[in-house]
Amino acid sequence: MRDWRAYLRENLDLPAMEGLREERIIEEIAGQLEDFYQEALERGMDEAAADAYARRSVPDWQELKALLASSNRAHRTPATAAAFERSEQAVRRRGGGGVWLADRLADVRQAFRTIRFAPAFWIVSLEILRGISSESTTPFTKRRYSGSKSLQAF
Amino acid sequence: MPTANLEALVFSPELKKGSVELMVLSILESEPRHGYDIGRMIEVRSGGSIQFNITSLYPVLYRMEERGWIAGRWVERKGERRRCYYRLTQQGERVLSAQRKEWAAFTAAVNQVIEVSHA
């Protein structure tokens, strides 16, 4: 069977993608190509025909590259999220309890990502920040006011 | 079973574009699935009329994940290579509910427009 990862790397260069994201896309799509290949074998095709069948699943590499790049560009992963993902993968590689911990880290990352796009979260956060900011500037305002009053007296 | 080419498509890609997110969200409503399975389920549920290939499915999945509608997680099962399973998030559930209503209203409106007049 063909090395589908190598085949993808030959045809799909994703220079604009971050390393981890590119890795993930390559692994996932290579897996899908393998699925198509296996499916074709199960349907009675010989290896050459199955290989051709799987390869036909990406008729236009430029189109795929452009679509993947645009889906990435619209919502680029922030540096903090990428760092989080890296530590998650490092923990997962340890195996055993590390897999469990990595799953929990993935949950936290997902929660932050969801919050990022939740308007209610931002409205509440801004209101709280505005509240804190008005509290902390009040003494300065009073002082400035009293200062201007004393200037008027002159 | 999903096919690896677009030749057998019954509906045009333009027609599918507007509904692909809704279809993916609906497929994931019951349980998490990997990309190949999502494509297969869409084909099975549509009676073979709607098929997706790699180019038409994966960019959509990544976009939906970045929006926080779905979440992917690698799962390794005995005797199988690891696969990325997508599940619906709470935000995705809300989007699915809203899109279903919108789709129903839209198709109803289109049906009214294209209905043959007997007057």
Side-chain angles (χ1 to χ4, degrees):
Chain A
M1 186 175 70
R2 184 188 288 273
D3 178 348
W4 293 108
R5 273 169 172 263
Y7 174 70
L8 263 178
R9 289 200 182 282
E10 274 169 32
N11 291 283
L12 188 68
D13 58 318
L14 300 166
M17 301 262 171
E18 291 158 23
L20 282 168
R21 187 148 178 79
E22 184 190 359
E23 274 300 315
R24 180 190 160 174
I25 290 170
I26 295 285
E27 179 170 356
E28 196 171 9
I29 296 180
Q32 171 95 62
L33 285 166
E34 195 184 320
D35 284 336
F36 279 136
Y37 176 81
Q38 295 294 345
E39 175 199 316
L41 289 179
E42 283 164 22
R43 286 164 65 178
M45 290 185 198
D46 62 29
E47 285 186 10
D51 184 83
Y53 174 80
R55 280 188 288 118
R56 278 202 306 274
S57 65
V58 185
D60 185 342
W61 288 101
Q62 288 308 312
E63 185 191 6
L64 178 60
K65 182 183 164 183
L67 287 169
L68 288 172
S70 68
S71 70
N72 189 53
R73 200 167 39 239
H75 300 279
R76 193 179 292 278
T77 311
T80 45
F84 216 80
E85 201 173 331
R86 270 194 295 277
S87 27
E88 181 191 313
Q89 289 202 351
V91 173
R92 190 182 297 280
R93 272 195 292 272
R94 288 183 204 159
V99 175
W100 180 87
L101 184 60
D103 284 348
R104 300 293 77 79
L105 285 171
D107 289 340
V108 172
R109 186 162 52 84
Q110 182 54 38
F112 275 113
R113 185 185 286 170
T114 308
I115 282 170
R116 199 155 54 101
F117 295 109
F121 169 77
W122 289 111
I123 291 166
V124 170
S125 301
L126 287 171
E127 283 301 316
I128 290 169
L129 280 173
R130 202 190 317 172
I132 292 169
S133 135
S134 65
E135 286 270 323
S136 59
T137 55
T138 308
F140 295 107
T141 315
K142 278 181 182 162
R143 204 166 294 165
R144 212 178 298 137
Y145 176 72
S146 60
S148 63
K149 225 177 174 184
S150 59
L151 278 173
Q152 277 171 3
F154 278 103
Chain B
M1 216 179 275
T3 55
N5 57 56
L6 279 167
E7 282 83 15
L9 279 180
V10 174
F11 301 113
S12 73
E14 285 73 24
L15 204 55
K16 284 195 306 177
K17 249 178 209 171
S19 54
V20 59
E21 288 172 352
L22 175 57
M23 284 191 274
V24 171
L25 291 171
S26 305
I27 293 293
L28 295 177
E29 190 181 22
S30 53
E31 60 181 297
R33 293 181 189 277
H34 53 79
Y36 177 78
D37 207 18
I38 293 169
R40 190 174 57 86
M41 286 302 294
I42 289 175
E43 186 175 346
V44 168
R45 284 197 194 175
S46 68
S49 304
I50 302 172
Q51 296 166 4
F52 285 95
N53 65 5
I54 286 173
T55 308
S56 52
L57 184 62
Y58 281 91
V60 173
L61 289 177
Y62 297 143
R63 193 172 63 233
M64 290 170 72
E65 188 182 26
E66 289 298 322
R67 284 177 180 163
W69 298 358
I70 60 175
R73 174 182 287 179
W74 290 101
V75 176
E76 209 160 345
R77 289 187 176 154
K78 267 191 177 175
E80 279 183 29
R81 63 174 165 74
R82 68 175 195 156
R83 293 168 183 272
C84 188
Y85 278 76
Y86 294 92
R87 68 172 172 81
L88 210 57
T89 62
Q90 284 189 342
Q91 193 183 351
E93 284 170 15
R94 288 195 294 272
V95 171
L96 172 60
S97 170
Q99 284 202 1
R100 269 193 178 134
K101 283 178 195 159
E102 194 181 0
W103 181 259
F106 176 72
T107 49
V110 171
N111 284 338
Q112 281 184 332
V113 172
I114 64 174
E115 221 167 51
V116 180
S117 171
H118 299 288

